[in-house]
Structure formats: structure tokens, C-alpha cells
Amino acid sequence: MTKSELITYLSEENPHLYQSDVERIVNTIFEEITKTLSLGNRVEIRGFGAFSVKSRDSRTGRNPRTGESIQIAASQKVKFLPAKSLKEMFNK
């Protein structure tokens, strides 16, 4: 599901709301999640899961074409841990 599909779905499920209002709500939620993660904080949505930022140390990698060793810089990545109820739904 894409963001536009989500907005359309929510607009259809809530006919009392304008689609522009639903779009603003969805965008605000995503912006707040992004802002919180960029500060290094955790975002937890009960019943769905938790997003957190993990640091990856610099390391030595290998260029697959040439076999030459290259240095890979340290970076950050977003990690998602699904809630127990979400995992159980998929593992029935």
C-alpha cells in the first residue's frame, strides 16, 4: 500500500472528513515519526510495533566486481520491531 492509497482508503472509510484533511493528518504523522527518529529517539505504536535508530560502525567491505577492499563509513539505520499481536496475526 502506498501513501496515496492509504489516504484514499482512510477518506473512503471516513466520509465525514475531506480528503485534504486526511492527507494532512497522514503527512503530519509521518513527519513526526521522521522527526523523532532523526533525533535518535524511539517511536512506539501500540499493537503495531516500534521504530528505533541503530548505529552501524565503519567496516571493511569488498567491491564485488574487483575484489578490492573498501572502507564503508559508519551509518545509521531505522529498525522496525513488530508488536507481539502483529507477529501472532501473521504466524497463525
Side-chain angles (χ1 to χ4, degrees):
M1 176 179 277
T2 64
K3 187 162 92 170
S4 60
E5 291 171 340
L6 175 63
I7 292 168
T8 302
Y9 173 77
L10 291 174
S11 295
E12 291 170 355
E13 290 292 313
N14 299 283
H16 60 284
L17 296 174
Y18 293 112
Q19 185 166 349
S20 60
D21 292 337
V22 173
E23 184 175 358
R24 194 173 319 127
I25 291 166
V26 170
N27 286 334
T28 302
I29 291 169
F30 289 158
E31 287 170 8
E32 287 301 313
I33 290 172
T34 303
K35 187 178 1 173
T36 302
L37 289 172
S38 69
L39 296 172
N41 296 326
R42 183 173 187 224
V43 176
E44 183 176 335
I45 302 171
R46 298 287 170 143
F48 182 69
F51 297 91
S52 59
V53 177
K54 296 293 181 185
S55 297
R56 297 184 74 179
D57 295 333
S58 61
R59 61 195 187 280
T60 302
R62 194 163 299 282
N63 182 333
R65 285 188 183 175
T66 64
E68 177 184 352
S69 292
I70 56 172
Q71 190 63 28
I72 300 171
S75 62
Q76 305 240 357
K77 70 174 190 167
V78 176
K79 180 181 176 186
F80 176 71
L81 181 65
K84 182 179 179 183
S85 59
L86 185 63
K87 280 194 250 182
E88 288 172 353
M89 183 189 325
F90 287 105
N91 292 322
K92 283 185 177 182

